[in-house]
Amino acid sequence: LLTDAVVVTWIAVAVWCVLWIWIAAKRERVPTGRQLVSESVIDLFLSLCKSNGMNQQQSETVAPFIGSICFFLIACNLASVFKIAPPAKNPAFPIALALFTVGYVIFTGIRFVGAKGFWASLVSPMPAMLPFKILDYIIKPMSLSLRLFGNIFGAFILMEFIYIIIPVAVPGILGLWFDIIDGVLQAVIFTYLTTTYIGEIIEGGEIAKEKKHERDIKKSLSS
């Protein structure tokens, strides 16, 4: 169905595509202006990835995805500034986005540490953690979707109520928070959690490698 969420979603995609094509159109060896801003934003996403245990190559692989998710959500959430219902008000939007994101997390984690490393992250620090780790991957999309839906839907309903009751000055002041800052904040939180989930898999895989290396050393010394 061609719902308002679908329309706003494609508008958000189109706006950011046009914006980033314009930003990347002018490239110089010494960055200035919009090129400097874009490179600073890219460095910020790379730093976020590295702070969650990724190396340079892994960070460069993940940064485009989390950057796209972040700006996509910002554009969608800021639709309420123009008195348009944000897509996250429709439960299908945050659920689909959360499922897609967790799927990417699992795929990327296996890509970085391999199937054995991913399995090691599930049974780390002890095999008894396996059912809880599996449950965690069921809860993660629920947590991501409910947090996004709850905050955006709640802010939208509250602002609609305020516009009806006090239609003069107060909505403009509160709109700075609920329409703009809260929308950006929810996008940042979603992006940060996505990066953290990938970092957890990498950390579990690295711990497994270290334990295997220690066992190999002990075995070689004993022999």
Side-chain angles (χ1 to χ4, degrees):
L1 297 177
L2 192 61
T3 63
D4 56 346
V6 174
V7 174
V8 175
T9 296
W10 281 106
I11 290 174
V13 170
V15 167
W16 278 113
C17 284
V18 171
L19 178 62
W20 282 104
I21 288 173
W22 173 75
I23 289 175
K26 184 180 180 182
R27 301 179 186 179
E28 298 177 352
R29 185 175 295 275
V30 180
T32 58
R34 60 179 185 262
Q35 183 183 352
L36 181 61
V37 172
S38 65
E39 292 188 8
S40 299
V41 172
I42 292 171
D43 287 339
L44 180 63
F45 286 121
L46 290 174
S47 299
L48 176 61
C49 293
K50 291 176 182 178
S51 67
N52 282 279
M54 302 181 206
N55 57 35
Q56 180 67 26
Q57 185 177 0
Q58 292 170 340
S59 299
E60 291 177 357
T61 301
V62 173
F65 177 82
I66 64 170
S68 299
I69 288 290
C70 182
F71 287 113
F72 170 67
L73 274 176
I74 289 174
C76 289
N77 294 344
L78 292 185
S80 57
V81 175
F82 306 99
K83 303 301 294 175
I84 302 173
K89 187 177 72 69
N90 185 331
F93 177 86
I95 291 173
L97 187 63
L99 289 173
F100 176 76
T101 300
V102 172
Y104 174 83
V105 167
I106 295 173
F107 171 79
T108 304
I110 295 175
R111 179 183 175 184
F112 287 161
V113 300
K116 290 183 179 180
F118 179 72
W119 173 257
S121 70
L122 294 177
V123 295
S124 177
M126 60 183 67
M129 293 297 295
L130 178 60
F132 299 101
K133 291 294 183 70
I134 294 175
L135 181 63
D136 185 41
Y137 278 101
I138 299 174
I139 294 174
K140 279 175 179 176
M142 295 173 59
S143 174
L144 286 173
S145 57
L146 289 175
R147 182 184 292 105
L148 181 60
F149 170 74
N151 282 280
I152 298 302
F153 180 75
F156 179 79
I157 295 299
L158 178 62
M159 288 306 302
E160 289 296 310
F161 177 76
I162 292 175
Y163 274 113
I164 294 173
I165 303 301
I166 316 171
V168 187
V170 176
I173 298 173
L174 293 178
L176 292 175
W177 173 260
F178 290 107
D179 287 339
I180 300 177
I181 298 178
D182 185 55
V184 174
L185 183 62
Q186 294 309 314
V188 171
I189 292 174
F190 196 99
T191 303
Y192 177 78
L193 289 176
T194 301
T195 313
T196 302
Y197 295 158
I198 298 174
E200 289 174 355
I201 297 175
I202 294 174
E203 182 181 6
E206 292 299 326
I207 291 175
K209 285 182 180 179
E210 291 177 2
K211 289 182 178 180
K212 184 178 182 301
H213 183 62
E214 290 176 359
R215 288 195 301 266
D216 292 340
I217 292 176
K218 290 179 180 179
K219 187 183 294 184
S220 63
L221 291 175
S222 60
S223 60

